[in-house]
Amino acid sequence: MKLTILGCYAATPRTLTNPTSQVLELKNQMFLIDCGEGTQVQLRKHKIKFSRINHIFISHLHGDHFFGLPGLISTFRLLGRKKEMHIYGPKGIKEAITLLLKLGDSWTNYPLYFHELTSKESELVYEDDKVSVKTIPLHHRVYTNGFLFSEKPGERKLDINAVTSYGIDTAYFQNIKNGHDVVLDNGEILENKLLSFDPPKPKSYAFCSDTAHKPDIVPIISGVDVLYHEATFLESQADLAVKTKHSTAREAALIAKEAKVGTLVLGHYSTRYKSISLFKEEAQRIFDKVELADDGKCFEF
Amino acid sequence: MKLTILGCYAATPRTLTNPTSQVLELKNQMFLIDCGEGTQVQLRKHKIKFSRINHIFISHLHGDHFFGLPGLISTFRLLGRKKEMHIYGPKGIKEAITLLLKLGDSWTNYPLYFHELTSKESELVYEDDKVSVKTIPLHHRVYTNGFLFSEKPGERKLDINAVTSYGIDTAYFQNIKNGHDVVLDNGEILENKLLSFDPPKPKSYAFCSDTAHKPDIVPIISGVDVLYHEATFLESQADLAVKTKHSTAREAALIAKEAKVGTLVLGHYSTRYKSISLFKEEAQRIFDKVELADDGKCFEF
């Protein structure tokens, strides 16, 4: 699981900071999450292969999470894309993008599908044989979802020594990988656990931005390996966090602790702070395993 | 007259090149012309005071001239702008921007006026006591206008030696600056040209992008001091220029020559070319005074 932060600062793009966008690589799929202005330049800068992106998830329709999308969609056209592109985001996203394409008489030459979200409950929005994506309803000034990316459990690993010593025919191997026991010709049952190892634990990533402190997301994200949670403010500006429906670093850490996540990654820092290290210090008073997102930073989990 | 090129490359933003946007300073006004994605970052990078921009002119609604506008409008809100902002652009621009603001529940806290253009004839779209702006109808794949910025003639300069030697009362000075003759008490008429100098020649700037070769703009831009004309292709790709309704460097130079402009500034280069110096060479075979726009370049005329 590889996470590349293209941008993780609040509000508007600046010379040295970018608004929210990140790329999650999971089971050879590449998911783009949010798309602030300038995302396509960040993708180029970090040498991410545009063509591998087939699914884009947009948390909400504030400009700093969304205004890079029209340009990215247009660029895919210029690059001669033929593959389907799927966009997941709040209702209204289809109208906005199609209006912009219509005004520029610039329809895509590839199929563009919009999956508009309206539910206030967590729902499954994407699924293939290896990965599923569910929404995480958040609480912000406009309708907002986080996204939970979960690997599905993989096949069990064959214990080659065991199957050889029992003299099991290769015809049974797939069944064993699928978790089934083996019935020998003499009627003896060999339990699966004698013949295979557990698959690696499926990994999971929860993206939660933007949101006020919302403890009722805890059951949805419980036990995820990595939680990216916004921390726009420090506790000293808690009043601003309440007013603007954002979180403080402390609040992000409280969520991480309650949900017993593996690692908390902080981001969406207000640009008022000179150093982001204060966010880590504040969060670590509550929860130990804290990482700071920063533009261009790449995490492997 | 000062022209800052924020971006002058065709198509999409890349790590080192930006789509079209430029700032024209004329008579202490600051006009923003086109607004490709990333314009707000370019404005910051070149330390241009956002707050001095009150009028934004959009040539057409292709993304590389327009997708930076929603973000810029939002940023003005975040910066606490109170002053009016006027946007001039093709019909549809108001619907697009207002939809994006509505979806983000992010109405501006400053008055935002749209001046939507539909005419296929040149028309006056802006005027104050020192400057006027007219459209230059262009020929592109969608409805497109260039813009002609013209200083109005200033007051005549008082010839202090002359008015002193004739003993003319200061009460007459404004009349003289306005071009009137002076009638002395004895009935003698002093012609204005004896008492004043011509004002500096008013300056003018024509922005023409994007457009196919369109010689019928020549009467509109005739004699301008500076013509920015797109040159997306070299003559060797003239077929592509025809197909995409763009111009070659040679065609831009033909327009400059016919219109007897002072200086031709080329821009909107296709990113297929390794060096933009070829554009200058090609244009200079037709017209001598050629400059190459480049991102971040600043011209004073």
Side-chain angles (χ1 to χ4, degrees):
Chain A
M1 184 163 73
K2 187 173 162 187
L3 177 68
T4 305
I5 307 294
L6 302 175
C8 68
Y9 285 80
T12 61
R14 302 183 306 165
T15 312
L16 297 172
T17 65
N18 295 278
T20 302
S21 186
Q22 46 186 250
V23 176
L24 179 72
E25 271 190 77
L26 198 60
K27 293 280 182 189
N28 285 320
Q29 282 269 24
M30 208 172 235
F31 301 105
L32 184 69
I33 309 168
D34 279 352
C35 193
E37 186 176 347
T39 292
Q40 56 177 317
V41 174
Q42 287 294 92
L43 284 168
R44 285 185 199 272
K45 205 167 158 184
H46 299 293
K47 302 199 193 316
I48 288 166
K49 264 196 113 182
F50 278 49
S51 61
R52 287 189 55 203
I53 298 171
N54 302 316
H55 301 276
I56 302 176
F57 297 83
I58 302 293
S59 62
H60 65 299
L61 299 182
H62 279 158
D64 58 328
H65 294 251
F66 161 57
F67 282 171
L69 187 59
L72 184 61
I73 286 172
S74 302
T75 294
F76 278 122
R77 182 177 60 84
L78 292 174
L79 295 176
R81 184 186 177 96
K82 294 278 175 277
K83 272 191 300 181
E84 290 179 2
M85 172 63 81
H86 295 265
I87 314 278
Y88 308 78
K91 190 169 169 54
I93 195 168
K94 180 177 179 178
E95 185 188 358
I97 297 293
T98 49
L99 175 61
L100 292 174
L101 297 180
K102 190 185 87 174
L103 289 173
D105 199 9
S106 306
W107 298 108
T108 61
N109 44 10
Y110 57 91
L112 185 61
Y113 295 102
F114 291 92
H115 306 265
E116 293 200 316
L117 308 175
T118 54
S119 175
K120 288 179 178 173
E121 306 294 324
S122 176
E123 60 178 341
L124 181 74
V125 291
Y126 171 80
E127 188 170 31
D128 63 27
D129 55 346
K130 290 181 177 158
V131 175
S132 72
V133 185
K134 283 181 183 165
T135 57
I136 307 166
L138 300 176
H139 180 53
H140 192 41
R141 303 194 302 278
V142 292
Y143 175 74
T144 304
N145 288 295
F147 298 100
L148 171 65
F149 299 81
S150 307
E151 286 181 4
K152 294 183 175 178
E155 291 180 335
R156 299 184 64 79
K157 299 266 175 206
L158 218 54
D159 181 341
I160 291 293
N161 291 335
V163 294
T164 309
S165 70
Y166 285 111
I168 293 171
D169 192 275
T170 54
Y172 291 96
F173 285 6
Q174 189 57 51
N175 262 350
I176 296 169
K177 287 183 193 170
N178 291 348
H180 298 294
D181 298 338
V182 173
V183 184
L184 298 177
D185 291 344
N186 62 8
E188 189 187 345
I189 293 173
L190 292 175
E191 278 186 60
N192 187 284
K193 64 181 177 186
L194 295 172
L195 307 170
S196 69
F197 304 114
D198 288 345
K201 185 176 169 284
K203 289 181 176 170
S204 54
Y205 173 69
F207 170 88
C208 295
S209 187
D210 297 351
T211 189
H213 185 53
K214 191 177 186 238
D216 53 355
I217 64 172
V218 168
I220 305 170
I221 62 171
S222 178
V224 293
D225 294 291
V226 183
L227 165 65
Y228 175 95
H229 196 290
E230 75 127 292
T232 307
F233 297 105
L234 295 173
E235 209 44 36
S236 46
Q237 276 76 39
D239 55 332
L240 274 180
V242 170
K243 194 177 156 193
T244 59
K245 297 188 180 166
H246 282 299
S247 297
T248 65
R250 181 179 165 275
E251 288 170 330
L254 286 171
I255 297 287
K257 187 182 178 187
E258 275 190 76
K260 298 185 175 62
V261 311
T263 300
L264 168 65
V265 179
L266 296 177
H268 203 266
Y269 321 109
S270 163
T271 52
R272 77 186 54 221
Y273 302 105
K274 288 223 176 79
S275 163
I276 58 173
S277 64
L278 297 171
F279 288 85
K280 188 168 183 173
E281 286 169 29
E282 181 172 296
Q284 281 189 322
R285 276 175 229 133
I286 307 284
F287 183 80
D288 187 49
K289 194 84 181 66
V290 178
E291 298 279 353
L292 291 175
D294 209 349
D295 296 6
K297 208 164 172 178
C298 194
F299 298 94
E300 303 230 20
F301 296 104
Chain B
M1 184 163 74
K2 187 175 164 187
L3 178 68
T4 305
I5 308 293
L6 302 175
C8 67
Y9 286 81
T12 60
R14 301 183 307 165
T15 312
L16 297 170
T17 66
N18 295 278
T20 302
S21 185
Q22 45 186 254
V23 175
L24 179 72
E25 272 190 75
L26 197 62
K27 293 281 184 188
N28 286 321
Q29 281 269 23
M30 208 172 235
F31 301 105
L32 184 69
I33 308 168
D34 278 352
C35 193
E37 186 177 345
T39 292
Q40 56 177 317
V41 174
Q42 288 292 94
L43 284 168
R44 285 184 201 271
K45 205 167 157 184
H46 299 294
K47 303 199 192 317
I48 288 166
K49 264 196 113 181
F50 279 49
S51 61
R52 286 190 55 205
I53 298 171
N54 302 316
H55 301 276
I56 301 176
F57 296 84
I58 302 292
S59 62
H60 65 299
L61 299 183
H62 278 158
D64 57 328
H65 294 251
F66 161 58
F67 282 171
L69 187 59
L72 184 61
I73 285 172
S74 302
T75 293
F76 278 122
R77 181 177 61 85
L78 292 175
L79 295 176
R81 184 186 177 97
K82 294 277 175 278
K83 271 192 299 181
E84 290 180 2
M85 172 63 80
H86 294 265
I87 314 278
Y88 308 78
K91 188 168 168 55
I93 196 168
K94 180 177 178 178
E95 185 188 357
I97 298 292
T98 48
L99 175 61
L100 292 175
L101 297 180
K102 190 185 87 173
L103 288 173
D105 199 9
S106 305
W107 299 109
T108 61
N109 44 9
Y110 57 91
L112 184 62
Y113 295 101
F114 292 92
H115 306 265
E116 293 200 314
L117 308 175
T118 54
S119 175
K120 288 178 177 173
E121 307 292 325
S122 175
E123 61 178 341
L124 182 73
V125 290
Y126 172 78
E127 190 171 30
D128 62 28
D129 55 347
K130 289 181 179 158
V131 174
S132 72
V133 185
K134 283 181 182 163
T135 57
I136 307 167
L138 300 176
H139 180 51
H140 192 41
R141 302 194 303 278
V142 292
Y143 176 74
T144 304
N145 288 294
F147 298 100
L148 171 64
F149 299 80
S150 308
E151 286 182 5
K152 294 184 176 180
E155 292 180 336
R156 299 184 63 78
K157 298 266 174 207
L158 218 53
D159 180 342
I160 291 294
N161 291 334
V163 294
T164 310
S165 69
Y166 286 110
I168 293 171
D169 192 273
T170 56
Y172 289 95
F173 286 4
Q174 190 56 50
N175 263 349
I176 296 169
K177 288 183 194 169
N178 292 347
H180 300 293
D181 298 338
V182 173
V183 183
L184 298 177
D185 291 344
N186 62 6
E188 189 187 346
I189 293 174
L190 291 174
E191 280 186 58
N192 186 284
K193 64 181 177 186
L194 294 173
L195 307 171
S196 69
F197 303 114
D198 287 345
K201 185 176 168 288
K203 289 182 177 170
S204 53
Y205 173 68
F207 170 88
C208 294
S209 187
D210 297 355
T211 188
H213 185 52
K214 192 177 185 235
D216 54 353
I217 64 172
V218 167
I220 304 170
I221 63 171
S222 178
V224 292
D225 294 291
V226 183
L227 166 64
Y228 175 95
H229 196 290
E230 74 127 291
T232 308
F233 297 105
L234 295 173
E235 211 39 39
S236 46
Q237 277 75 41
D239 56 329
L240 274 180
V242 169
K243 194 176 155 192
T244 59
K245 297 188 179 166
H246 282 298
S247 298
T248 66
R250 182 178 163 274
E251 288 171 330
L254 286 171
I255 297 288
K257 188 183 178 187
E258 276 191 74
K260 297 186 174 63
V261 310
T263 300
L264 169 64
V265 179
L266 295 177
H268 203 265
Y269 321 108
S270 162
T271 51
R272 75 185 55 222
Y273 302 105
K274 287 222 175 82
S275 162
I276 58 173
S277 63
L278 298 170
F279 287 85
K280 188 168 182 173
E281 286 169 27
E282 181 172 295
Q284 281 189 322
R285 277 176 226 132
I286 308 284
F287 183 80
D288 187 50
K289 194 86 182 67
V290 178
E291 298 278 354
L292 291 174
D294 209 351
D295 296 6
K297 209 164 171 178
C298 194
F299 298 94
E300 302 231 21
F301 297 103

